[in-house]
Amino acid sequence: MQVEVYFDVLCPWCYIGKRRLAAALKARSDAIVVWRSFELDPDGSRIPSLTAAQVVATYQDDPARASARVAHIQALGAAEGLELNLHQARPVNSFDAHRLIHLAATCGLADAVLERLLRGYHTEGRNIADPDVLQALGVEAGLDLAHIGELLTGDAFTGEVRADERRAAQRGIRGVPALVIDGAPPVSAVQEPAALASLLERAARF
């Protein structure tokens, strides 16, 4: 069974969804998870500006509603054991982070590198568009420093990221995290673990 997950490191829902999917997959040994790139803001700057909480506020007319939205996301994250610091994380361009995860996939470290990037951005407030930060986090997750350096000074895996994004568009995916099981229509990956487990079980029968 192939389980494709479209994600962006910038998305707190993707961090939550990753935890819930992991719980749903505990009882399965037949699932291969493939992480697919999706940029929420392809034109985003590499220089940090507004915090994630401030960005949420730009979509809300009522400051109280914006604060409640941030608190809700943080509470859902806490329920999964995650510390989501939306007042510290600052959205930036995530393209190189996606390329780094594709590099990691070639040596079986995609999950580990993604996990480190998610914690670095959402919990520690690291700038995941900064090459030095990507190098440090990648090495911590097990990647070779020289390989990361070659990636960040070249254009390796650009085609793979763009192919994921084209595939997402073809499948009608406009938000993340989105889950595609064995090529079926995409569904939200932020469902409760029991619901995700049910989807996986249903797919396994066919």
Side-chain angles (χ1 to χ4, degrees), residues 5-186:
V5 187
Y6 289 82
F7 75 96
D8 194 353
V9 176
L10 303 180
C11 174
W13 297 106
C14 290
Y15 205 178
I16 294 168
K18 186 174 185 295
R19 280 292 183 277
R20 292 180 174 180
L21 179 61
L25 288 170
K26 280 184 179 179
R28 306 210 67 89
S29 60
D30 58 342
I32 298 173
V33 177
V34 180
W35 298 101
R36 299 289 190 194
S37 302
F38 186 102
E39 294 176 274
L40 288 171
D41 185 7
D43 298 319
S45 172
R46 296 178 182 274
I47 301 173
S49 180
L50 299 177
T51 67
Q54 289 171 327
V55 172
V56 171
T58 64
Y59 293 103
Q60 301 286 345
D61 294 330
D62 182 359
R65 180 178 294 180
S67 295
R69 178 71 169 171
V70 168
H72 176 63
I73 295 171
Q74 290 177 316
L76 290 177
E80 303 297 334
L82 304 175
E83 183 181 351
L84 301 177
N85 292 322
L86 276 74
H87 295 284
Q88 185 176 352
R90 295 176 183 273
V92 287
N93 189 287
S94 61
F95 183 70
D96 282 344
H98 282 293
R99 292 201 299 132
L100 186 68
I101 294 165
H102 274 280
L103 169 66
T106 66
C107 51
L109 290 172
D111 188 90
V113 171
L114 173 56
E115 184 70 25
R116 189 62 189 94
L117 289 174
L118 287 167
R119 179 160 59 89
Y121 174 74
H122 291 284
T123 302
E124 301 166 1
R126 307 283 287 275
N127 177 6
I128 53 124
D130 185 325
D132 291 337
V133 171
L134 289 175
Q135 284 187 334
L137 298 181
V139 168
E140 286 180 30
L143 290 178
D144 180 82
L145 178 60
H147 292 164
I148 300 172
E150 291 173 5
L151 172 84
L152 296 175
T153 56
D155 61 357
F157 299 103
T158 292
E160 286 80 351
V161 173
R162 296 306 183 213
D164 281 352
E165 293 174 336
R166 286 194 299 272
R167 192 179 291 110
Q170 291 165 358
R171 286 172 164 165
I173 295 172
R174 294 182 176 83
V176 289
L179 191 68
V180 174
I181 304 173
D182 280 342

